[in-house]
Amino acid sequence: MSLFSYASKHRFLFIRMWRFPKAVDSHFAYHEHDRVYNSRRSNKSQVSEGRRLEQKASPNKFQNQRRISSELQKLAQEDLSSERKKTARLKPSMESSDQHEIVFGVAPCLLALTQARRKALKLFVKDGEALQRSALLKVCEEAHQRLVPIQRVSKKDLDRMVLGRVHQGVCLQATPLSYLTEDSEQSSKTTPLWLVLDGIQDPMNLGAILRSAYFLGVDRVASSIRHSCPLTPVVSKASSGIMEVMGVYGYEDLEDMVRVKAAQGWWVVGTVAAEAPVSGVPITPGPDFRMTTPTLLLIGGEGDGLSQKLLALCQTLVTIPAGRQLLPGVESLNVSVATGILLHSLLTSTRPT
């Protein structure tokens, strides 16, 4: 090749690179890609050949790896199966049944343990809560003293046990409470007061009534068994645990009990709304009534009030006068609020002035 031809060739390449730089870059990039690709293929084939020779030389090595892998999977499946069985064993113990129920809340659980009217089976505490709150620590101490097993669970488990109600981080699995039956218990007071409930169906109202009755000093709470709320953990929570302390006597026939007490000299006092048309029975405002003899205070259920049979047995009716002109639809009080007001009026009337 002549010098002219060599110089002309490179001058042509220089001019081409100067005028079309992108095209030239692409040309060199393409050939560089081929070089790298061929190099990688060569290396890959060498590695594959090395592995093939290694497998041929030691065939048991890879079989052992597969065997170990299968054994690990088998162990993992066995662990998962045992964990599921363990969870399945725990679940029934955390649910209510005919033999036990779940008491929830700090005060109900504490009083259920200390009063021992139930048989406590197991205490469930939210994980991490007992060491942070003195009230929960007290519940755990009472359970420990009574040899009641304590199990730490998550908040999700507690929520499931009580169907999302407010549990305050503690639940107690225990036997149910039921209505007490009639006995020969006598009050030491000269003018005892029995609260007689006729058809209270709302557990929140029943719990609030029990709390007021205990606080104000009622001697006994009696209830009709038919068409009345049972003594559930919801009632215990609404009463702040008073249901665990104060027994509720149940009667199949309230009318018979009221007749017997009236024959013994007890005064039968019913409750009605203001201006209720009841013929033949005097109506007295609650604050004006004076309790001078053993008294039965009869409280009717939500909406319907006292039954006609019980109204016929009343010797006096008391009512709560309103403090203003009431609008239609709000002429009465909630039954638990009205009960608290009337109990306060009757019980304070017996105190010396």
Side-chain angles (χ1 to χ4, degrees):
M1 178 184 295
S2 64
L3 180 63
F4 176 79
S5 299
Y6 179 82
S8 300
K9 180 179 180 181
H10 281 270
R11 183 168 56 250
F12 172 76
L13 289 174
F14 173 78
I15 295 172
R16 185 176 181 184
M17 292 173 60
W18 174 70
R19 296 188 62 183
F20 309 103
K22 293 184 179 181
V24 174
D25 291 343
S26 300
H27 172 78
F28 284 105
Y30 174 78
H31 287 284
E32 179 66 16
H33 176 269
D34 284 348
R35 187 186 65 80
V36 172
Y37 177 74
N38 293 331
S39 176
R40 288 180 178 177
R41 284 191 60 184
S42 176
N43 292 337
K44 186 175 180 181
S45 61
Q46 293 175 3
V47 172
S48 300
E49 181 66 18
R51 287 181 179 177
R52 187 181 64 79
L53 294 175
E54 183 179 359
Q55 292 178 8
K56 186 175 181 180
S58 57
N60 294 330
K61 177 180 178 181
F62 295 93
Q63 294 177 1
N64 292 335
Q65 289 181 354
R66 286 194 294 269
R67 186 182 302 112
I68 293 174
S69 178
S70 62
E71 290 176 355
L72 289 175
Q73 291 179 359
K74 183 178 179 181
L75 289 174
Q77 291 176 357
E78 290 177 354
D79 292 340
L80 181 61
S81 177
S82 62
E83 186 66 24
R84 287 177 177 174
K85 290 180 180 178
K86 181 180 178 181
T87 305
R89 288 195 300 267
L90 288 176
K91 282 184 178 179
S93 65
M94 302 192 320
E95 297 172 355
S96 299
S97 68
D98 294 337
Q99 289 75 32
H100 59 79
E101 60 188 11
I102 301 298
V103 182
F104 58 96
V106 173
C109 291
L110 179 62
L111 291 173
L113 289 168
T114 57
Q115 298 302 307
R117 294 179 58 213
R118 303 172 181 263
K119 181 181 179 182
L121 303 176
K122 182 179 290 188
L123 184 71
F124 298 96
V125 182
K126 180 183 174 183
D127 192 20
E129 286 284 324
L131 299 178
Q132 300 175 6
R133 297 171 55 188
S134 59
L136 279 180
L137 185 60
K138 177 65 175 175
V139 177
C140 293
E141 289 175 353
E142 293 292 341
H144 180 70
Q145 291 177 6
R146 290 160 177 80
L147 304 179
V148 178
I150 302 174
Q151 180 176 342
R152 296 183 180 275
V153 295
S154 65
K155 181 180 182 298
K156 184 178 180 180
D157 290 330
L158 293 176
D159 292 340
R160 180 173 59 83
M161 279 189 266
V162 298
L163 303 179
R165 299 184 179 95
V166 180
H167 49 69
Q168 298 176 298
V170 61
C171 293
L172 177 66
Q173 186 185 56
T175 56
L177 280 182
S178 57
Y179 287 107
L180 302 177
T181 57
E182 184 63 49
D183 59 10
S184 59
E185 178 185 353
Q186 299 293 330
S187 175
S188 59
K189 294 182 180 178
T190 56
T191 55
L193 174 64
W194 285 15
L195 178 62
V196 181
L197 306 176
D198 179 28
I200 302 295
Q201 298 180 354
D202 190 333
M204 304 300 290
N205 282 335
L206 180 56
I209 289 172
L210 292 178
R211 187 173 184 177
S212 298
Y214 177 80
F215 180 84
L216 295 171
V218 171
D219 297 279
R220 176 177 292 191
V221 177
S223 174
S224 59
I225 296 179
R226 294 177 298 173
H227 309 297
S228 295
C229 175
L231 302 179
T232 64
V234 178
V235 178
S236 183
K237 182 65 169 65
S239 69
S240 193
I242 296 303
M243 192 187 84
E244 311 297 328
V245 180
M246 191 174 194
V248 182
Y249 289 80
Y251 296 88
E252 291 288 349
D253 194 339
L254 282 179
E255 292 85 356
D256 288 345
M257 185 271 289
V258 172
R259 289 191 185 94
V260 170
K261 289 300 178 181
Q264 295 174 356
W266 288 56
W267 198 254
V268 182
V269 179
T271 53
V272 291
E275 302 178 359
V278 180
S279 59
V281 183
I283 299 178
T284 304
D288 298 338
F289 183 82
R290 294 294 177 266
M291 195 175 70
T292 57
T293 60
T295 304
L296 300 176
L297 177 62
L298 278 55
I299 302 291
E302 304 93 340
D304 296 334
L306 287 173
S307 65
Q308 292 299 319
K309 292 182 179 180
L310 287 177
L311 279 174
L313 299 174
C314 294
Q315 298 159 304
T316 302
L317 296 174
V318 293
T319 188
I320 302 174
R324 59 161 50 134
Q325 185 68 32
L326 301 177
L327 296 175
V330 287
E331 299 92 349
S332 63
L333 291 169
N334 174 274
V335 63
S336 63
V337 175
T339 302
I341 294 173
L342 291 173
L343 287 176
H344 183 266
S345 297
L346 269 64
L347 290 169
T348 53
S349 68
T350 62
R351 299 172 184 171
T353 56

